[in-house]
Amino acid sequence: MEMKNNNKTKNRLIAPFLIFAFLLNSCSLDIDETDSLITKGESGVFNGVPNPAGSLSNIYNDITGQAGDQAGLYALTEVSTDELLVPTRGTDWGDNGIWRTVHVHTFGPTHNFVTQVWNDKNGAVLRCTEVIDPLSNATVAQVAEAKFARAYNMWIVMDFWGQVPFRNPKDGPDVTPSVLTRQEAYTLIVQDLTDAIVGLPAGVPAATNKLRPVKATARLLLAKVKLNSIVYNGAYGSTDLDDVISLVTSIEGEGYGLVGGNYFNLFKGPTYTNIDVIWNVSAGAGNRMWNSLHYNQSHPDNTGGGWNGFSTLAEFYDKFQGPAASNSIGGGQEERRGYTHTLATTNATNLGFGFGFQFGQMYGMSGVAPVALKDRTGKPLIFTKEFAESGLIGNNETTGARLLKYSPANGGFTEGVVMARFADAHLMRAEAILRKGNAGSALIEVNKLRALRANTPPLASLNEAAMLDERGRELYTEGWRRNDMIRFGVFKAARQFKPAGDGHTDIFPIPASAILSNPGLNQNPGY
Amino acid sequence: MTNLYLFVRRYLTVLLVFATLVSFAQQTVSGKVTGADDGSGIPGVNILEKGTVNGTVSDAGGNYRINVGANATLVFSFVGYASQEVSVGSQNSISVSLEPDVTSLSEVVVVGYGTVKMSDATGAVAAVRSEDFNGGVISSPEQLIQGKTAGVQITSTSGAPGAGVNLRIRGTSSIRSNNNPLFVVDGVPLAGGDTPAAANVGYGSSQDSNPLNFLNPSDIESMSILKDASATAIYGSRGANGVVLITTKSGKGQKGTLEFASSLSVASAAKRFDLLNASEFLDGVTQFGGDRVAQNFGAQTDWQDYILRTSISNKQNLSYSKSFKTGSLRASFGYEDQQGIVKNSSLQRLTGRINGNKSFLDNKLKFDLASTFSNVKREDPAIGNAGFQGDLLGAAYSANPTWPTDPDFNTGGQRSPANMLAYYRSTGSNNRLLNNLSATYKITGALSAKATYGLDYSVAETNTVASGKAINGGNGVQGFGQAQLNENRSLNNLVELTLNYNKTVGKVQIDAVGGYSFQSFNNRSFFASGRGFTDFVNFDNMQTELRNSYEAGNSAAEGNFSGTINNWGISNDLRSGAQTSGGFVSGYDAGSGAFSQQYFARPAGVSLAAVGANFFNTTDFLQSYFGRSNFTISGKYLITATLRVDGSSKFGSNNRYGVFPSGAFAWKMHDEDFMPELFSTFKLRAGFGLVGNQDGLGYGEFIRRDRYANANVGDARQIDVPGVATQGSVNPTLKWEQTSQFSAGIDFGILGDKLSGSLDYYVKNTTDLLLRANAAQPAVATQIFTNLDATVENKGWELALSYSAIDKPDASLTFSGNVSHNTNLLKDFGGALDAGTINGQGLSLAYAQRLAGGYPLFSYHLREFQGFDATGQPIGDNQTFVGKSALPTWNMGFSINARYKAFDLATYFSGQFGQYIYNNTANAFFTAGSINNARNVTRNVLTAGEAGSAEAAVSTRFLEKGDFLRMQNFTIGYNVPMKGQNFIKKLRFYGNGQNLFLITSYTGLDPEVSSAPASFDLLNGLPTAGIDYAAYPRPRTFTIGLNATF
């Protein structure tokens, strides 16, 4: 009895002691590295990226992903020009007006694509800066690749918005990024590219694809930046145009050059071994084809057919030589305008898919037999060059010609989108010569390229307007049109379904969310 | 030691002598306390000599013995029973039979870390007991209490079996996170454990299933809803959205009782769309200029008929319950097979549960165990978020009625419902164990300590398979097949230590609890996806092939890597990597901090063209200190003070700990002399508190982490070899979202509580709103979690009334109802964020709602539709606030319960008013543009005056009033009279109807709806509400069942 009481007393005392022992010995609340490595602690101390190669892979994978998209970057650079229009077709492609506003230049600071590209490209700049930072201990080659990528991404920010926020990797999230002016950003981009040229490999890569930059890639971008110096700095610097010419000549010296033969084979993946392509990404070309083709144009790899959106304008079609009323195969049109198939030429290999401008009756295969296709309501599928009255809304399924640089004739989802070609470099050199006042020499250069394209007679003379048209014919839907039209001063001009503007749209609005997050940014004029 | 021994001996001796002396002057009374319900002894009954502190408790058999003074009156009280007073007089033996207490105000309710008599509660607390639960087909416990309590809005997101439920207590206070309350089952706060949603294999991903599906509703004894901050503050950082405490049944009755319940239910869609039939459709095509011959495929198919069915479900429950001398036991086993009214949708639940307790050392030490094991299997058709293409339901609404039902029929572009039903399968299985073991030790009469260990472990798996015969599904599926395996293992461990102190000092009764809690939440998951199957037709073979290829690939990856694996992939087409085919594995070594990527040859066991797997393993911790004191002064003034300090691993060290205090006061005015006799109960309550919320905040967001980006298998069976990507955003200033709430109320009862009720008023302000906002670029992550400098205000009132019209032994009639009003407003916010994702053809990036200061959450921002112009084009193209919100302002529930002799009847109505529903279904499918594209539409489209070329932009044309009143539940039962000692003690048959009628002006299927798009589709990461996009139709269900007790 007495012993039992004693035990009870001990228990009375032990229980609270145990509890207090627990209270005092409270556990750590730090998370473990079971899922990911903690690369930057709460203090914001930046210790370098742990794996520069892995970070670079991600940086280039992002460029690939963004290049494969039809929205965002591609829409802003192409749908805003005379090359493309995404008309609303009944209930299709209304998408709250997001495509229409790009074409008519009524985009505002909340436009989804404007915000998306701003976030994508600025974020990429910081990731490149982190790899470049000495704390990351990246190799010389890795730093060069990072500098190229930073220059490419920052150039897009500078070209689109005219202001470039910049963040040091050491800065915490409470630090508001500084804002570089267009000229400051220009200087940094030129410096990055100059450094990259030193560190990048020479020659044409042995690999079948050109996914990472070489000296030629950086030179091409530097030439591009300098050729646009007149836009960024108000006037060309004394050596800018000569630099463009010598940079392109250096690219040639690395082993790149113009390539003739079948023009559309230049855009046929999945490998790009020809010496015209300087840079390509591994993104699938599916978006570029199916965003344009009709629902009833299908392919074994894409039985659901196209999405019936992106179309081109008749006024752009008219820049090419050949019969106006038809782009049928064998009509004598210039090679780069492409062709559409006829019932006779549709076969199991091409499945009725042509190249370039597509309008008129479309064909496909029904089992082993070629057939004239119908639209969803059962009427013949005849694309018209013209749109509904307003162009933007009230269209049916068949208005508007379609533009195929990549074609399902080469596979439904072929890999590879071309980012940069020597033909572009060649025309930039010709343009620099022209801008230096030597139209005769420039014409010879332009005709060198035209001579490689079938049914494309030499031009008799060359002026700025002709130069811009030639760039359009050679480089359509390759992502340069907006940049070219601004340089030639016609981006703001009136065109089909777009009235003339005051030029403020040469620079995009700073996204509303960016202005909220950084008081150093000022909204661009006109928005 | 010796000294202590001597001290104790001396002390005890004195005490014993004293006690003996006292007892000499007294009279001894003994007896037995039994329950009037089953006649068995009730252990633990408090027996108090009135007006003194002298008392005892009954033993395990209900027996007691007490010494009392002259002219004593004994008060017998026990939770759940009405107290009884007996004058002792000269009696030496007094046995009493306690009546179960059914009046709501004297009920004992479970509150956090304890119980309280409803009449003593200082906070806004509501409890619903099993006898008041809704009947019929109940797939999730929340449905049991739908419409039962004021201020609690419970909305099923759809009519699918096991669909998620949105539960809002006193409005919506967060702008981003999950606004559901914290669920605590037998003391274990739940976290996660859901079955992974169906993966996107070209048909969109499904919505997450309900995390409470694992509980068998029949095992639940009661559910308590803690509504105001003074009640939820004991759960601190998780209390902002209210707390629902679920208590399961435990053993009762000295004689073992065996209960069997069985029911059978038949359900069918309550409403269908009035679609065009085959000939009307062809006329419609012609009307809009189409070619009726080309569109006529010869069949006459009612596609709604084709995908819907009359479903049959059944439920069986068996339980055994018994209380022993020193403990009790209840074991139950349940099986339920619920069929959905859309083909290929079902839920099967198998549950086993044991609740037991056992006392030792003269009831000083008590062990409690509550353990559930469940297996829930689900099948879902291709229903969920399929973006602009629409899911199975959308396909059925827009399918050409002349198409044949042959699954291999190629429509030429659109998805055929027959093809989707035949060639898509998503099945999920979730095994879950929830265990709670606790030991309570009574240190002294006033002080007891309790240690709890809770374990919640679940292993869930979802297999989503698209056959290679799927036409117009995802890219690269036809001819190859695509499948994904998702597996989640979540382990939630809880250790809790509490001290309880109960003491009456003079006129003050103190009831205090203090404790420490540590909870860890581990989630380990992976998903493996594959394309290019050897047999791309048979679902089982595909699932096995993916599993085998995953196993083979995984062992090869592990063999080639030491460290933590983020992902691996095997394909003949590797891109952007150092090799162009074979396998790669990426990960890191946490010791050295090095990332690496290794390549290896394709292992022999991998038969898929491409397979890739990604692995995740995260653990969060929550450490808490808490305390609550209740002071009852003179039996009528009640004061509660609560404090909880929570530390969470989701925040940086500066903001890791949050302090959540609350205080409340109640005054039982009916005990005051100045109150008129009319009031049997009149209690004033008021309280204020701060509570927090960290829900919706991902793992490790305050710190910057890196891991390899996901390895995904692409359309062409290629894999892009991933690089290292940043995960968290460095935001060390991230902190809790905080809600302060003032709440005041009156509980009243008149005529002996014949009419009783409560009226509450509250003001809730939520600040530091957690939101994933755009970061100031350039930033490591596009969006970072921040605390938005804005306030969400919810204020409103609630009224609950219950009137017992007849209360006689063989007849009773009770009316009860509740109504609540809430207004919601976002204040002090300067920005404007688009929200309310709309889906459909031509509606990408379209939105219907906007978050802006000065407007309620989920406010509609739309074009004002002004009809069609002469050419049939819609007028109005400027989105503005239209002054309407998706949030209801009024919620009501009304019920009638009646009993006459052997018959009983219960019926329930629920209603919501003031909310507007955006009919995204009509916007996406039922426009002239659809019939113009040869898609089927509802009859009214043909006469609307809309041109076939018109754009169906989001506008008020599709915004409708969502007010509704629903007859939710109707039950009629018959209790077979049992005479004498039958083998069967009780037998009841019943019939039940659910969703019997609905009064609403909404033209869609049902206004009680919320189609949640996939999380990556949410504009600005903001949730949606009130948007109806091809929601799973709500069934009308009839059930017959029996309950038998042996």
Side-chain angles (χ1 to χ4, degrees):
Chain A
M1 181 66 198
E2 283 165 352
M3 272 311 291
K4 198 176 167 192
N5 283 335
N6 183 27
N7 284 341
K8 273 186 189 172
T9 312
K10 276 201 294 186
N11 284 338
R12 284 177 198 173
L13 298 170
I14 286 166
F17 266 119
L18 275 176
I19 290 166
F20 277 104
F22 253 99
L23 292 177
L24 293 171
N25 186 22
S26 55
C27 306
S28 152
L29 295 177
D30 293 326
I31 54 175
D32 301 321
E33 294 185 313
T34 49
D35 184 73
S36 39
L37 283 180
I38 292 167
T39 41
K40 194 167 174 177
E42 299 167 39
S43 60
V45 174
F46 176 71
N47 297 316
V49 298
N51 184 353
S55 296
L56 273 175
S57 291
N58 209 45
I59 288 165
Y60 280 91
N61 282 353
D62 282 352
I63 292 175
T64 302
Q66 289 152 17
D69 195 359
Q70 66 189 7
L73 185 62
Y74 183 70
L76 291 184
T77 52
E78 292 290 351
V79 179
S80 62
T81 73
D82 58 356
E83 285 181 359
L84 293 179
L85 168 70
V86 186
T88 298
R89 304 177 187 281
T91 56
D92 296 349
W93 294 93
D95 299 342
N96 238 31
I98 198 157
W99 305 101
R100 301 191 297 261
T101 52
V102 173
H103 189 77
V104 297
H105 290 200
T106 53
F107 35 73
T110 58
H111 197 280
N112 183 284
F113 298 161
V114 172
T115 309
Q116 182 192 332
V117 178
W118 171 270
N119 288 340
D120 286 349
K121 294 300 170 191
N122 277 304
V125 167
L126 177 60
R127 288 197 293 280
C128 296
T129 307
E130 288 175 347
V131 175
I132 295 164
D133 195 292
L135 286 169
S136 294
N137 284 323
T139 64
V140 172
Q142 287 168 341
V143 169
E145 286 191 349
K147 286 200 167 182
F148 172 80
R150 179 165 75 178
Y152 167 73
N153 287 301
M154 189 185 282
W155 168 67
I156 290 170
V157 178
M158 183 267 270
D159 186 58
F160 276 29
W161 289 281
Q163 306 172 50
V164 179
F166 190 83
R167 188 192 290 276
N168 188 301
K170 288 192 180 67
D171 295 343
D174 48 330
V175 176
T176 302
S178 56
V179 177
L180 307 180
T181 64
R182 208 170 203 183
Q183 288 70 38
E184 286 166 346
Y186 177 87
T187 308
L188 184 60
I189 292 162
V190 169
Q191 187 59 52
D192 270 349
L193 289 169
T194 309
D195 294 349
I197 291 168
V198 176
L200 289 171
V204 182
T208 53
N209 275 310
K210 294 144 178 171
L211 305 176
R212 290 293 175 93
V214 291
K215 286 189 194 304
T217 327
R219 284 187 173 125
L220 184 137
L221 185 55
L222 184 54
K224 179 78 70 187
V225 171
K226 295 217 160 186
L227 187 60
N228 284 288
S229 172
I230 187 169
V231 177
Y232 307 141
N233 301 313
Y236 285 115
S238 56
T239 63
D240 285 344
L241 292 173
D242 289 328
D243 289 347
V244 172
I245 294 164
S246 67
L247 283 162
V248 175
T249 306
S250 302
I251 295 169
E252 232 166 5
E254 299 279 350
Y256 291 92
L258 294 174
V259 175
N262 186 333
Y263 172 69
F264 291 100
N265 272 354
L266 294 173
F267 307 96
K268 183 180 178 183
T271 60
Y272 290 93
T273 49
N274 69 69
I275 56 168
D276 181 45
V277 172
I278 297 176
W279 185 20
N280 73 280
V281 293
S282 61
N287 277 346
R288 296 285 160 88
M289 313 185 270
W290 299 114
N291 66 15
S292 167
L293 293 165
H294 189 267
Y295 308 100
N296 290 348
Q297 292 182 285
S298 64
H299 187 280
D301 291 349
N302 178 25
T303 50
W307 315 324
N308 206 40
F310 286 52
S311 306
T312 187
L313 300 168
E315 67 178 37
F316 189 66
Y317 173 77
D318 293 338
K319 294 185 189 298
F320 292 77
Q321 284 178 303
S326 157
N327 202 31
S328 243
I329 189 164
Q333 65 271 39
E334 70 164 286
E335 183 185 8
R336 293 178 299 195
R337 202 172 80 177
Y339 56 84
T340 59
H341 278 288
T342 62
L343 190 66
T345 60
T346 299
N347 59 39
T349 309
N350 60 43
L351 303 166
F353 293 105
F355 289 89
F357 289 85
Q358 304 290 301
F359 65 95
Q361 174 69 51
M362 292 292 112
Y363 298 92
M365 299 293 287
S366 172
V368 293
V371 289
L373 294 173
K374 291 183 171 178
D375 70 13
R376 289 189 293 194
T377 56
K379 288 177 288 194
L381 180 58
I382 297 171
F383 289 140
T384 61
K385 272 192 290 179
E386 301 307 327
F387 293 88
E389 198 179 340
S390 86
L392 301 166
I393 59 165
N395 287 282
N396 61 30
E397 297 177 19
T398 56
T399 57
R402 316 301 158 95
L403 199 47
L404 290 182
K405 201 133 206 182
Y406 302 86
S407 170
N410 291 332
F413 284 96
T414 45
E415 177 187 345
V417 169
V418 174
M419 298 288 283
R421 295 199 291 131
F422 183 76
D424 181 17
H426 180 82
L427 289 175
M428 286 199 285
R429 180 169 58 188
E431 186 183 329
I433 294 169
L434 177 70
R435 287 178 187 278
K436 279 174 70 76
N438 197 342
S441 303
L443 179 63
I444 292 166
E445 293 296 320
V446 169
N447 283 336
K448 256 188 220 170
L449 174 65
R450 290 177 66 86
L452 295 169
R453 309 289 176 238
N455 292 336
T456 313
L459 296 180
S461 65
L462 191 70
N463 58 12
E464 282 205 9
M467 188 70 223
L468 176 63
D469 285 351
E470 186 62 23
R471 285 187 63 83
R473 286 187 290 265
E474 177 66 24
L475 301 166
Y476 61 84
T477 68
E478 291 181 47
W480 305 119
R481 191 64 178 171
R482 173 185 165 277
N483 181 262
D484 288 347
M485 292 181 86
I486 291 172
R487 190 169 69 252
F488 285 93
V490 297
F491 189 60
K492 63 187 174 193
R495 52 185 160 267
Q496 269 189 297
F497 313 122
K498 177 202 168 296
D502 60 7
H504 79 272
T505 59
D506 282 6
I507 299 180
F508 285 114
I510 306 279
S513 57
I515 294 213
L516 273 177
S517 65
N518 187 343
L521 292 163
N522 292 311
Q523 188 52 278
N524 286 322
Y527 295 104
Chain B
M1 176 70 201
T2 315
N3 285 342
L4 181 69
Y5 173 68
L6 289 173
F7 169 76
V8 169
R9 206 172 74 160
R10 190 174 307 150
Y11 169 78
L12 277 179
T13 311
V14 171
L15 198 71
L16 281 171
V17 169
F18 179 73
T20 315
L21 284 173
V22 170
S23 67
F24 273 130
Q26 296 180 333
Q27 170 189 2
T28 303
V29 182
S30 64
K32 184 172 184 178
V33 189
T34 52
D37 45 350
D38 63 355
S40 60
I42 309 174
V45 176
N46 271 304
I47 300 134
L48 191 74
E49 184 181 349
K50 198 175 179 182
T52 73
V53 292
N54 177 38
T56 186
V57 290
S58 61
D59 67 10
N63 299 306
Y64 75 94
R65 175 180 290 271
I66 187 169
N67 296 317
V68 295
N71 300 323
T73 297
L74 287 181
V75 182
F76 296 83
S77 61
F78 188 65
V79 292
Y81 291 87
S83 294
Q84 226 176 84
E85 293 186 11
V86 181
S87 171
V88 176
S90 58
Q91 301 174 83
N92 285 324
S93 168
I94 299 175
S95 288
V96 298
S97 171
L98 295 182
E99 288 289 335
D101 195 339
V102 288
T103 64
S104 60
L105 288 173
S106 49
E107 255 173 34
V108 165
V109 293
V110 178
V111 293
Y113 304 98
T115 57
V116 67
K117 244 168 101 177
M118 199 66 187
S119 59
D120 289 344
T122 54
V125 178
V128 185
R129 310 182 73 86
S130 55
E131 53 269 29
D132 296 322
F133 285 165
N134 288 323
V137 174
I138 299 288
S139 56
S140 182
E142 303 96 319
Q143 294 167 338
L144 294 169
I145 57 167
Q146 196 167 17
K148 298 279 179 181
T149 41
V152 181
Q153 178 202 341
I154 300 176
T155 312
S156 305
T157 53
S158 77
V165 170
N166 287 330
L167 206 158
R168 300 284 174 269
I169 296 174
R170 295 188 163 177
T172 302
S173 54
S174 290
I175 51 174
R176 178 180 192 281
S177 74
N178 179 356
N179 276 291
N180 278 334
L182 173 70
F183 289 99
V184 180
V185 178
D186 289 333
V188 181
L190 299 183
D194 320 14
T195 312
N200 187 348
V201 291
Y203 293 97
S205 50
S206 73
Q207 298 186 11
D208 283 334
S209 60
N210 188 314
L212 290 182
N213 277 342
F214 79 102
L215 277 178
N216 181 350
S218 310
D219 283 334
I220 296 175
E221 172 68 34
S222 74
M223 289 172 79
S224 296
I225 298 120
L226 313 184
K227 297 194 280 192
D228 68 357
S230 71
T232 66
I234 195 75
Y235 288 102
S237 67
R238 293 174 289 180
N241 296 324
V243 179
V244 175
L245 301 163
I246 297 174
T247 307
T248 59
K249 290 174 179 165
S250 53
K252 262 189 204 161
Q254 252 185 334
K255 297 171 201 124
T257 45
L258 189 66
E259 285 183 321
F260 174 67
S262 176
S263 65
L264 183 73
S265 305
V266 178
S268 57
K271 189 181 172 187
R272 296 180 182 202
F273 284 111
D274 186 20
L275 298 174
L276 303 176
N277 66 26
S279 68
E280 291 166 332
F281 170 77
L282 294 174
D283 291 346
V285 167
T286 313
Q287 181 187 330
F288 283 88
D291 180 345
R292 69 181 297 144
V293 177
Q295 287 306 327
N296 190 350
F297 295 88
Q300 295 200 347
T301 308
D302 181 333
W303 286 108
Q304 289 188 96
D305 247 5
Y306 185 78
I307 63 158
L308 295 173
R309 64 181 171 188
T310 298
S311 67
I312 298 173
S313 307
N314 75 85
K315 185 163 71 172
Q316 318 295 334
N317 277 302
L318 189 65
S319 69
Y320 179 75
S321 165
K322 184 167 169 43
S323 70
F324 304 95
K325 214 171 183 178
T326 57
S328 75
L329 177 74
R330 182 177 185 274
S332 70
F333 176 77
Y335 174 74
E336 184 167 2
D337 181 2
Q338 253 187 60
Q339 277 188 356
I341 55 168
V342 176
K343 285 174 186 168
N344 294 358
S345 64
S346 65
L347 179 125
Q348 280 118 33
R349 172 169 48 212
L350 192 64
T351 51
R353 182 164 185 92
I354 293 179
N355 272 20
N357 63 69
K358 171 90 178 146
S359 299
F360 301 92
L361 307 173
D362 284 343
N363 291 333
K364 280 195 160 22
L365 178 66
K366 187 179 168 205
F367 287 97
D368 281 275
L369 172 76
S371 180
T372 310
F373 172 77
S374 74
N375 170 268
V376 177
K377 285 195 170 73
R378 285 181 57 142
E379 181 175 7
D380 294 291
I383 289 182
N385 194 269
F388 77 94
Q389 284 156 309
D391 58 8
L392 174 67
L393 294 163
Y397 301 150
S398 56
N400 180 333
T402 69
W403 290 344
T405 55
D406 172 8
D408 296 315
F409 170 74
N410 190 345
T411 67
Q414 254 176 286
R415 289 175 174 176
S416 150
N419 186 273
M420 291 172 87
L421 270 180
Y423 297 124
Y424 169 91
R425 185 174 84 172
S426 164
T427 50
S429 157
N430 188 349
N431 288 307
R432 187 162 181 177
L433 178 70
L434 179 71
N435 244 323
N436 181 7
L437 177 67
S438 68
T440 312
Y441 184 72
K442 216 177 222 182
I443 302 167
T444 68
L447 184 69
S448 65
K450 184 177 181 185
T452 303
Y453 173 65
L455 169 90
D456 181 5
Y457 181 54
S458 77
V459 181
E461 176 183 316
T462 298
N463 280 284
T464 318
V465 191
S467 147
K469 293 183 83 172
I471 304 173
N472 305 329
N475 292 331
V477 172
Q478 195 172 14
F480 298 101
Q482 184 187 359
Q484 186 163 317
L485 163 67
N486 287 56
E487 192 184 288
N488 280 4
R489 283 166 192 267
S490 71
L491 175 64
N492 161 357
N493 270 306
L494 171 75
V495 175
E496 220 158 55
L497 299 160
T498 53
L499 277 175
N500 266 283
Y501 183 74
N502 289 287
K503 180 111 181 156
T504 305
V505 182
K507 288 186 166 178
V508 182
Q509 189 190 327
I510 303 165
D511 178 1
V513 61
Y516 167 81
S517 154
F518 186 84
Q519 198 167 7
S520 66
F521 310 90
N522 173 245
N523 269 295
R524 275 183 300 150
S525 63
F526 74 83
F527 70 88
S529 49
R531 286 177 185 258
F533 286 79
T534 312
D535 169 2
F536 58 70
V537 177
N538 182 293
F539 288 137
D540 290 333
N541 291 349
M542 288 178 73
Q543 211 165 301
T544 308
E545 189 177 354
L546 174 61
R547 177 57 90 168
N548 291 344
S549 288
Y550 162 74
E551 299 287 357
N554 203 43
S555 70
E558 284 176 350
N560 283 283
F561 200 85
S562 67
T564 305
I565 294 176
N566 282 147
N567 57 44
W568 54 260
I570 296 162
S571 167
N572 296 331
D573 183 5
L574 294 182
R575 296 185 187 174
S576 318
Q579 286 183 19
T580 53
S581 71
F584 67 87
V585 51
S586 350
Y588 59 88
D589 183 56
S592 67
F595 281 95
S596 74
Q597 204 155 46
Q598 306 296 327
Y599 286 82
F600 54 89
R602 172 182 272 266
V606 175
S607 56
L608 288 173
V611 57
N614 296 278
F615 301 84
F616 308 88
N617 183 355
T618 62
T619 309
D620 269 310
F621 309 102
L622 190 69
Q623 171 167 268
S624 318
Y625 307 89
F626 53 88
R628 178 182 56 214
S629 298
N630 287 315
F631 300 96
T632 308
I633 302 161
S634 302
K636 54 191 175 191
Y637 309 108
L638 308 154
I639 298 167
T640 304
T642 311
L643 180 74
R644 181 156 177 143
V645 177
D646 270 344
S648 166
S649 63
K650 292 189 176 202
F651 301 100
S653 45
N654 292 340
N655 296 311
R656 188 158 281 172
Y657 283 89
V659 179
F660 305 99
S662 82
F665 171 76
W667 180 15
K668 288 186 183 174
M669 290 175 70
H670 55 266
D671 286 344
E672 300 289 356
D673 297 338
F674 60 77
M675 279 302 285
E677 284 296 314
L678 173 72
F679 287 101
S680 41
T681 301
F682 195 93
K683 188 177 74 169
L684 287 181
R685 288 180 278 108
F688 180 81
L690 285 180
V691 279
N693 183 19
Q694 61 168 11
D695 217 27
L697 183 61
Y699 167 77
E701 283 292 342
F702 64 96
I703 212 161
R704 174 167 164 186
R705 302 170 295 111
D706 282 66
R707 56 173 281 138
Y708 277 94
N710 284 352
N712 293 313
V713 180
D715 297 350
R717 297 161 299 286
Q718 87 281 14
I719 300 179
D720 284 310
V721 179
V724 176
T726 300
Q727 304 299 314
S729 51
V730 200
N731 188 357
T733 60
L734 205 58
K735 60 183 175 187
W736 315 91
E737 183 171 299
Q738 190 162 288
T739 299
S740 68
Q741 185 176 177
F742 167 78
S743 178
I746 303 167
D747 296 329
F748 58 89
I750 55 177
L751 307 168
D753 289 353
K754 201 172 157 90
L755 174 68
S756 64
S758 63
L759 178 66
D760 278 84
Y761 173 77
Y762 60 87
V763 182
K764 255 171 101 173
N765 279 298
T766 304
T767 52
D768 293 329
L769 300 156
L770 284 171
L771 179 73
R772 202 174 178 134
N774 280 318
Q777 289 290 354
V780 278
T782 303
Q783 298 196 305
I784 60 169
F785 270 100
T786 51
N787 294 96
L788 197 67
D789 188 15
T791 303
V792 174
E793 180 191 72
N794 280 283
K795 60 182 174 187
W797 54 265
E798 302 155 1
L799 174 69
L801 280 177
S802 176
Y803 178 65
S804 172
I806 303 170
D807 186 10
K808 291 184 176 153
D810 63 350
S812 71
L813 177 62
T814 309
F815 299 94
S816 46
N818 63 74
V819 56
S820 53
H821 182 261
N822 184 74
T823 54
N824 178 288
L825 189 65
L826 177 67
K827 302 195 295 191
D828 311 324
F829 178 53
L833 293 167
D834 295 343
T837 314
I838 295 298
N839 277 301
Q841 188 87 33
L843 291 166
S844 305
L845 297 168
Y847 70 95
Q849 295 167 349
R850 179 175 275 191
L851 183 82
Y855 294 93
L857 300 181
F858 308 111
S859 278
Y860 289 104
H861 191 256
L862 299 167
R863 291 172 183 82
E864 288 278 8
F865 177 66
Q866 296 152 30
F868 300 104
D869 66 15
T871 61
Q873 299 289 334
I875 307 167
D877 192 21
N878 187 19
Q879 275 184 273
T880 55
F881 280 107
V882 295
K884 285 155 186 164
S885 154
L887 294 175
T889 46
W890 294 91
N891 270 284
M892 68 150 287
F894 178 71
S895 68
I896 306 168
N897 288 64
R899 179 170 52 79
Y900 179 69
K901 294 192 171 157
F903 292 93
D904 59 60
L905 179 150
T907 179
Y908 233 133
F909 299 84
S910 71
Q912 291 179 7
F913 307 90
Q915 76 278 25
Y916 281 78
I917 304 297
Y918 192 81
N919 192 341
N920 191 173
T921 312
N923 193 171
F925 302 112
F926 305 141
T927 62
S930 291
I931 183 81
N932 188 51
N933 290 337
R935 293 170 187 238
N936 203 5
V937 292
T938 46
R939 209 172 302 272
N940 59 322
V941 173
L942 301 181
T943 53
E946 186 183 9
S949 63
E951 179 193 2
V954 287
S955 74
T956 52
R957 176 184 170 196
F958 305 105
L959 189 67
E960 299 184 40
K961 251 185 187 332
D963 297 356
F964 71 88
L965 179 70
R966 187 194 307 280
M967 187 180 200
Q968 188 89 26
N969 217 298
F970 180 88
T971 305
I972 184 158
Y974 176 66
N975 294 284
V976 181
M978 291 290 161
K979 294 205 179 86
Q981 294 291 323
N982 276 336
F983 169 62
I984 299 177
K985 295 198 184 62
K986 281 185 192 166
L987 182 61
R988 176 171 187 265
F989 294 97
Y990 66 89
N992 170 285
Q994 284 167 283
N995 189 19
L996 292 181
F997 69 79
L998 175 71
I999 302 171
T1000 182
S1001 64
Y1002 182 63
T1003 63
L1005 293 183
D1006 198 306
E1008 188 183 338
V1009 68
S1010 186
S1011 317
S1015 56
F1016 56 80
D1017 251 356
L1018 293 174
L1019 283 164
N1020 293 309
L1022 293 167
T1024 67
I1027 293 174
D1028 176 9
Y1029 184 45
Y1032 193 108
R1034 192 170 300 265
R1036 175 169 297 142
T1037 309
F1038 296 95
T1039 301
I1040 50 165
L1042 70 88
N1043 294 336
T1045 305
F1046 305 93

